[in-house]
Amino acid sequence: MDRELALEFVRVTEAAAIACGRWMGKGDKIAADQAAVDAMRQAFDSVSISGTVVIGEGEMDEAPMLYIGEKVGAGGLEVDIAVDPLEGTNLVAKGLPGSIAVIAIAPKGGLLHAPDMYMDKIAVGPAAAGKIDINAPVRENLKAVASSLNRKVEDLTVVILDRPRHSKIIQEVREAGARIKLISDGDVSPAINAAIEGTGVHMLLGIGGAPEGVIAAAALKCLGGDMQAKLWPENEAEVERAKQMGITDINKVLTIDDLVHGEDVMFAATAITQGDLLRGVSYFGGGVRTHSIVMRYKTGTVRFIDAIHKLDRKPLFIKRS
């Protein structure tokens, strides 16, 4: 993949964010998600790739577009694509921070075909890469991260989804002395934040979606961060589903290279609502402003793109902010 594709991928996430952002705070997560899906799917038609959706909105009989196996793009290099047109549907519906439109791209076979089930995850930034162990006690991982950052455990902030299933690790983090930021939805953004200095996030812990885990792993790989994960099936049907998708050892610790392998990996995201790293979509007379990030593992390049889009033919009066 050449670097010119990076901007094309950003246009895809921008389209989803702009369409979805109109639904912020309106209480309809289904309409918000549909707007993002429709816009993202249409935007892919102009991208110079022959893409296959390997992580998307569901199976063909569950989703009319961006379904697993769907072919997208205007033709070109064959790639696998993981998409989440709206990560954090409830966040948009309630007008809460942290929702993004996001895609990850890799050469064919470069992304784990993760089944739609839960996944236990631990994610950290570059300084702590190689120093985490998902099977180790929470306290030990906190000590390892603190040491890598040359700070005390009490100085760390850990992001955890606010779910009853996390009561034990929440207690363990508190007993160790670290601070916690509980979130209601969307664990891709905080995984990225853990790998970028200045966001105030140092680690992501807990059980979230497996497809989201692969998308987050793509970003972390580009940023030099690290992730370990284990599938967390709730029943035998999910175990069988994983086996059908090629994951024979359900208890295997999945490294970041298991989740995303190869060097030619790209990641793009556009904020929909305000976040720790990216500003949310803002609308004004005749236009809209978006804030995006795009990364490429092969070159180590990370770009932040602050864009203004005209929605009509009238001149825009742009104010610096």
Side-chain angles (χ1 to χ4, degrees), residues 47-71:
V47 181
S48 302
I49 56 169
S50 295
T52 301
V53 177
V54 297
I55 291 175
E57 293 296 286
E59 302 291 344
M60 188 184 300
D61 58 353
E62 298 173 351
M65 60 180 68
L66 294 179
Y67 54 82
I68 297 170
E70 184 176 9
K71 305 297 182 180

Side-chain angles (χ1 to χ4, degrees), residues 6 12 71 203 248 320:
V12 172
K71 305 297 182 180
M203 181 190 292
T248 54
R320 183 176 178 179

Side-chain angles (χ1 to χ4, degrees), residues 9-222:
F9 292 139
V10 171
R11 290 192 181 107
V12 172
T13 57
E14 285 174 342
I18 290 169
C20 173
R22 292 290 190 189
W23 290 93
M24 188 187 81
K26 295 184 178 181
D28 192 339
K29 66 179 184 179
I30 295 175
D33 188 52
Q34 190 62 59
V37 171
D38 291 346
M40 180 173 280
R41 179 61 185 84
Q42 183 177 358
F44 267 122
D45 287 341
S46 63
V47 181
S48 302
I49 56 169
S50 295
T52 301
V53 177
V54 297
I55 291 175
E57 293 296 286
E59 302 291 344
M60 188 184 300
D61 58 353
E62 298 173 351
M65 60 180 68
L66 294 179
Y67 54 82
I68 297 170
E70 184 176 9
K71 305 297 182 180
V72 298
L77 183 69
E78 286 195 2
V79 295
D80 283 351
I81 301 172
V83 305
D84 199 341
L86 169 50
E87 208 251 343
T89 54
N90 287 319
L91 300 177
V92 170
K94 297 177 181 179
L96 297 173
S99 63
I100 57 174
V102 59
I103 59 175
I105 311 95
K108 199 167 185 65
L111 300 173
L112 179 73
H113 294 199
D116 190 7
M117 65 174 65
Y118 284 132
M119 175 183 277
D120 194 8
K121 314 166 193 176
I122 177 171
V124 294
K131 300 176 182 178
I132 54 173
D133 179 359
I134 197 169
N135 288 325
V138 169
R139 181 181 294 272
E140 294 306 313
N141 280 308
L142 289 170
K143 287 180 179 178
V145 174
S147 176
S148 70
L149 294 171
N150 194 27
R151 62 180 70 197
K152 299 177 181 178
V153 170
E154 290 80 359
D155 301 328
L156 301 181
T157 297
V158 182
V159 175
I160 304 171
L161 279 166
D162 190 6
R163 300 288 190 272
R165 63 178 178 266
H166 290 148
S167 59
K168 185 174 185 294
I169 64 169
I170 289 171
Q171 180 182 352
E172 290 174 346
V173 172
R174 287 173 174 166
E175 288 176 350
R179 302 192 306 164
I180 295 176
K181 182 177 182 181
L182 292 174
I183 57 172
S184 62
D185 296 276
D187 63 357
V188 174
S189 284
I192 299 168
N193 293 343
I196 296 181
E197 190 174 351
T199 61
V201 175
H202 307 106
M203 181 190 292
L204 171 78
L205 280 177
I207 298 162
E212 290 82 358
V214 175
I215 293 173
L220 287 162
K221 188 178 181 74
C222 291

